[in-house]
Amino acid sequence: MLAGVLFALAAGLMWGLIFVGPLLVPDYPGALQSAGRYVAFGLIALPLAWLDRRRLRKLLPADWREALKLSLVGNLLYYTFLASAIQRTGAPVSTMIIG
């Protein structure tokens, strides 16, 4: 149970960084920050995917296309809008609207 609570706390802290990042690098546009975040997620996911490569081989091309579409909307588009909003209005306003 303790491990689960610690993982939840870590996830919450890491999620909160999405509101701090655009304020730390205001000169970079939201789209560039979004692309960097997407690449970082990919680098984190590569070792995990390698460990589960047998199950990944079973996915169909349609599954991969759907995953690509969802990742583009969920990671690139959403974070581009969020980072741009934070840069223009600040973190508290954007957090209130999203929350």
Side-chain angles (χ1 to χ4, degrees), residues 5-39:
V5 170
L6 292 176
F7 283 133
L9 285 171
L13 289 171
M14 290 172 60
W15 178 80
L17 289 175
I18 67 170
F19 296 102
V20 177
L23 298 174
L24 293 175
V25 286
D27 296 336
Y28 292 99
L32 184 60
Q33 291 182 37
S34 180
R37 185 172 182 257
Y38 191 73
V39 168

Side-chain angles (χ1 to χ4, degrees), residues 31-70:
L32 184 60
Q33 291 182 37
S34 180
R37 185 172 182 257
Y38 191 73
V39 168
F41 281 165
L43 291 174
I44 291 169
L46 277 176
L48 299 173
W50 177 258
L51 294 173
D52 208 18
R53 62 189 177 274
R54 287 184 195 94
R55 285 181 43 187
L56 289 175
R57 284 190 199 120
K58 295 177 184 177
L59 294 175
L60 302 173
D63 297 328
W64 287 106
R65 281 191 297 275
E66 193 63 28
L68 179 65
K69 285 190 265 183
L70 291 171

Side-chain angles (χ1 to χ4, degrees), residues 72-89:
L72 289 175
V73 171
N75 283 318
L76 288 177
L77 192 60
Y78 170 78
Y79 193 72
T80 298
F81 289 153
L82 178 62
S84 298
I86 290 170
Q87 288 176 334
R88 286 168 175 75
T89 64

